[in-house]
């Protein structure tokens, strides 16, 4: 069976779709699973264990009829038997109908008249479960699997060498609050203020002076990291260059402190204890129910308004 999934959104959205792909592969082990996603999100599939091929299409661009026609042609040439779409629009529904794929699955709503099967969109639940609902027309009604990633061996070896370089072989606290791995900026959100992070780091160093603190630096995060090191010179810095290495370095951490960015979903996937700061996003939609993962939501919808004291109380169990 050949299946293609159309999954718009950022890298974090792709990782939340992994359980759907993994469960489909488990029920149909010989199926070929391909994904059509945005160019910025192709990197997510470096750590997918179920996808054969990733095609790029910028859903948010001002695509001409010719652009859509080219995508229709590409998909028709591959002779898929099933298509699963996360997006909802009249145009997308029409496009799927034009592909001629016999089984077309999506959510009820705009464009669903062009589908052969549709399921209710239950957007109030955990996103991975909402995606997994799309498998119901294929007879898959088992519980949604946990997020999981397949980290390439070279990336694991890189992380092991990086831990040796940093001198953090016995565990560390990992911090990320930058823009390089930003998955989906929310209206009204801001990055967490540097002075608040400085207060948190100082508290850690006072109470647990032997516990290393490592900050992740992306390509756009130099100023943020520099500011943290100005007040904490012994802060350690790592700069993984791709999502596999990022996942591997997160897997070795004792605790992850982050905002709602890509590292959050990787931390969930590798089962690292995680505290995440949220602005306008409802934590229950992007975090599974687990003692390992804690979301702290701002009462004002702005991450900056969460006090360091609130975060530290959660860290130390106060």
């Amino acid at each position: 069976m050949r299946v293609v999934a159309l999954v718009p959104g950022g890298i974090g959205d792709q990782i939340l779709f992994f359980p759907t792909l993994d469960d489909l592969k488990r029920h149909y082990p010989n199926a070929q699973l391909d994904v059509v996603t945005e160019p910025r999100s192709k990197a997510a599939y470096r750590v997918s264990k179920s996808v054969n091929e990733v095609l790029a299409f910028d859903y948010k661009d001002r695509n001409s009829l010719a652009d859509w026609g080219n995508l229709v042609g590409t998909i028709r040439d591959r002779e898929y038997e099933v298509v699963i779409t996360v997006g909802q629009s009249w145009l997308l529904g029409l496009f799927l109908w034009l592909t001629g794929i016999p089984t077309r699955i999506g959510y009820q709503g705009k464009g669903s008249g062009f589908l052969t099967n549709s399921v209710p969109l239950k957007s109030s639940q955990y996103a991975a479960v909402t995606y997994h609902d799309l498998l119901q027309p294929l007879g898959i009604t088992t519980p949604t699997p946990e997020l999981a990633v397949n980290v390439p061996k070279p990336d694991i070896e890189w992380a092991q060498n990086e831990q040796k370089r940093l001198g953090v072989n016995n565990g560390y606290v990992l911090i990320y609050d930058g823009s390089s791995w930003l998955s989906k900026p929310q209206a009204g959100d801001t990055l967490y203020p540097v002075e608040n992070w400085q207060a948190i780091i100082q508290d850690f160093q006072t109470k647990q002076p032997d516990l290393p603190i490592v900050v992740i630096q992306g390509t756009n995060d130099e100023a943020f990291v520099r500011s943290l090191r100005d007040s904490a010179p012994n802060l350690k810095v790592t700069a993984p260059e791709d999502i596999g290495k990022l996942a591997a370095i997160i897997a070795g951490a004792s605790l992850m402190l982050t905002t709602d960015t890509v590292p959050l979903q990787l931390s969930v996937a590798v089962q690292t204890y995680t505290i995440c700061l949220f602005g306008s996003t409802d934590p229950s939609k992007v975090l599974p129910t687990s003692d390992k993962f804690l979301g702290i939501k701002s009462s004002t919808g702005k991450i900056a308004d969460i006090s360091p004291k609130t975060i530290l109380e959660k860290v130390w169990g106060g």
Side-chain angles (χ1 to χ4, degrees):
M1 182 169 68
R2 295 175 64 89
V3 182
V4 61
L6 277 60
V7 191
I11 291 176
D13 299 300
Q14 309 305 308
I15 296 172
L16 284 164
F17 196 73
F18 279 11
T20 299
L21 294 166
D22 295 343
D23 213 17
L24 184 57
K25 191 70 171 180
R26 183 171 69 87
H27 282 82
Y28 297 94
N30 296 322
Q32 173 166 324
L33 306 183
D34 297 344
V35 171
V36 181
T37 190
E38 297 171 32
R40 66 188 175 110
S41 302
K42 285 187 69 174
Y45 291 91
R46 179 182 179 90
V47 292
S48 169
K49 60 183 179 181
S50 299
V51 171
N52 295 89
E53 185 177 2
V54 183
L55 307 175
F57 183 76
D58 195 345
Y59 297 95
K60 294 184 178 180
D61 196 11
R62 293 183 177 179
N63 297 298
S64 65
L65 290 177
D67 295 325
W68 284 103
N70 288 336
L71 183 58
V72 168
T74 299
I75 289 180
R76 286 181 70 95
D77 288 345
R78 284 170 165 75
E79 299 182 343
Y80 294 110
E81 298 164 67
V82 178
V83 58
I84 299 171
T85 178
V86 171
Q88 288 179 292
S89 72
W90 180 87
L91 180 61
L92 187 58
L94 174 62
F95 154 72
L96 293 179
W97 178 71
L98 291 173
T99 63
I101 298 174
T103 302
R104 304 181 296 277
I105 301 170
Y107 295 114
Q108 293 173 3
K110 295 179 180 179
S112 61
F114 293 102
L115 304 175
T116 59
N117 305 83
S118 61
V119 299
L121 173 61
K122 300 177 182 178
S123 56
S124 61
Q125 61 187 350
Y126 177 41
V129 177
T130 301
Y131 290 149
H132 191 262
D133 287 345
L134 291 167
L135 297 182
Q136 292 174 5
L138 297 175
I140 301 174
T141 57
T142 48
T144 305
E146 294 181 341
L147 263 64
V149 292
N150 182 39
V151 182
K153 184 178 179 181
D155 295 343
I156 295 174
E157 293 172 346
W158 174 89
Q160 293 170 341
N161 291 330
E162 182 73 350
Q163 289 164 358
K164 291 178 183 178
R165 181 185 73 83
L166 296 171
V168 296
N169 298 69
N170 296 319
Y172 47 93
V173 173
L174 198 58
I175 290 175
Y176 183 73
D177 182 21
S179 58
S180 298
W181 293 102
L182 199 59
S183 176
K184 46 179 181 180
Q186 301 291 332
D189 285 9
T190 62
L191 298 178
Y192 198 55
V194 170
E195 57 270 21
N196 288 8
W197 281 120
Q198 291 170 336
I200 291 169
I201 291 170
Q202 183 178 12
D203 191 78
F204 265 100
Q205 293 180 331
T206 299
K207 293 178 178 175
Q208 295 283 347
D210 296 327
L211 182 61
I213 300 176
V214 181
V215 62
I216 299 171
Q217 177 175 309
T219 54
N220 302 322
D221 305 329
E222 292 87 349
F224 168 71
V225 173
R226 191 183 315 116
S227 297
L228 293 183
R229 298 193 82 175
D230 285 344
S231 63
N234 58 343
L235 189 69
K236 300 179 186 295
V237 179
T238 186
E241 62 187 24
D242 59 56
I243 198 167
K245 295 176 179 61
L246 179 61
I249 203 72
I250 292 172
S254 305
L255 173 67
M256 176 79 171
L257 296 175
T258 183
T259 50
D260 183 17
T261 54
V262 170
L264 169 63
Q265 300 305 333
L266 290 176
S267 194
V268 171
V270 299
Q271 293 287 305
T272 293
Y273 282 96
T274 305
I275 294 178
C276 181
L277 310 183
F278 291 93
S280 57
T281 300
D282 181 351
S284 67
K285 293 184 179 181
V286 293
L287 281 179
T289 302
S290 170
D291 293 339
K292 283 191 170 185
F293 315 122
L294 174 65
I296 301 177
K297 189 180 187 308
S298 170
S299 59
T300 66
K302 294 183 179 180
I303 291 177
D305 291 337
I306 301 173
S307 71
K309 180 182 177 182
T310 298
I311 298 167
L312 290 166
E313 285 176 349
K314 299 298 184 183
V315 169
W316 306 119

